[in-house]
Amino acid sequence: MKILVLQGSSRENGNTEQLTQLVLEGVPHTQILLREKEIRPICDQRHDPEGFSPVDDDYDQVIQAVLDHDVLIFATPIYWYSMSGHMKNFVDRWSQTLRDKRYNFKLAMPQKKAYVIATGGDEPRVNGLPLIQQFQYIFGFVGTPFEGYIIGQGNKPGDVLEDKRALADAKILNAILKAEQ
């Protein structure tokens, strides 16, 4: 089982990355830091007769990695009660991939499993639920089974390491991922 982490944090070694590292301790995986990739915002051409124009950025490389893995972990801080801009730009481009003849995106995505790891500082277990629901709708649209999520409490880097519930949830997900190897 090949695991891919799509890391949406703009901050190196912030709470989201720290919680994700705990989940993946001892678990073979690939990680893509979206902040290090150039993924341009979508130019919506869904209804243009010729479809989407090619975009010269790193998106194709990242979406190919998604297609090459079995388990997808979407890790993002909760920014203004939603996913980070890095993550949103990436997900928005799925509209382009759905029409791209190079990929069988709609056929491939139901064969994967998806998890979400999110952290935030403003009552994230309540205020982060719209983010989780947003991912649920996204995964549902492409048929990807949504296996679960972890929400951690943390504002300053390192705060999440004091969140006993998030640490316990990370340990559980770590055991699940290890069992699937």
Side-chain angles (χ1 to χ4, degrees), residues 37-166:
K37 301 295 180 186
E38 180 188 3
I39 299 177
R40 295 190 183 154
I42 192 165
C43 178
D44 188 356
Q45 297 174 301
R46 286 176 295 158
H47 305 291
D48 290 3
E50 59 277 348
F52 287 91
S53 301
V55 179
D56 185 20
D57 65 3
D58 297 324
Y59 175 79
D60 286 345
Q61 170 194 349
V62 177
I63 203 64
Q64 188 60 57
V66 166
L67 294 171
D68 291 343
H69 287 79
D70 308 301
V71 175
L72 308 173
I73 298 175
F74 294 78
T76 181
I78 303 169
Y79 287 163
W80 290 101
Y81 313 101
S82 188
M83 64 184 76
S84 70
H86 296 296
M87 186 71 71
K88 184 73 168 102
N89 276 346
F90 172 67
V91 172
D92 280 351
R93 290 282 294 278
W94 288 13
S95 295
Q96 185 174 354
T97 306
L98 284 165
R99 293 208 39 203
D100 193 325
K101 291 179 173 69
R102 296 176 297 164
Y103 307 109
N104 287 318
F105 192 67
K106 194 77 170 174
L107 294 174
M109 293 306 285
Q111 308 308 311
K112 302 180 182 314
K113 295 179 180 180
Y115 294 90
V116 173
I117 299 172
T119 61
D122 179 22
E123 297 184 49
R125 287 188 185 83
V126 174
N127 294 333
L129 291 177
L131 163 72
I132 299 304
Q133 188 173 43
Q134 182 180 27
F135 273 110
Q136 185 177 19
Y137 292 147
I138 291 165
F139 301 146
F141 187 81
V142 296
T144 304
F146 186 16
E147 298 294 316
Y149 64 92
I150 298 173
I151 296 179
Q153 170 83 36
N155 190 19
K156 295 182 305 200
D159 282 354
V160 76
L161 300 176
E162 302 301 318
D163 181 346
K164 291 180 181 6
R165 181 173 170 187

Side-chain angles (χ1 to χ4, degrees), residues 163-177:
D163 181 346
K164 291 180 181 6
R165 181 173 170 187
L167 298 179
D169 290 344
K171 192 173 190 175
I172 292 167
L173 183 50
N174 177 269
I176 291 169
L177 294 173

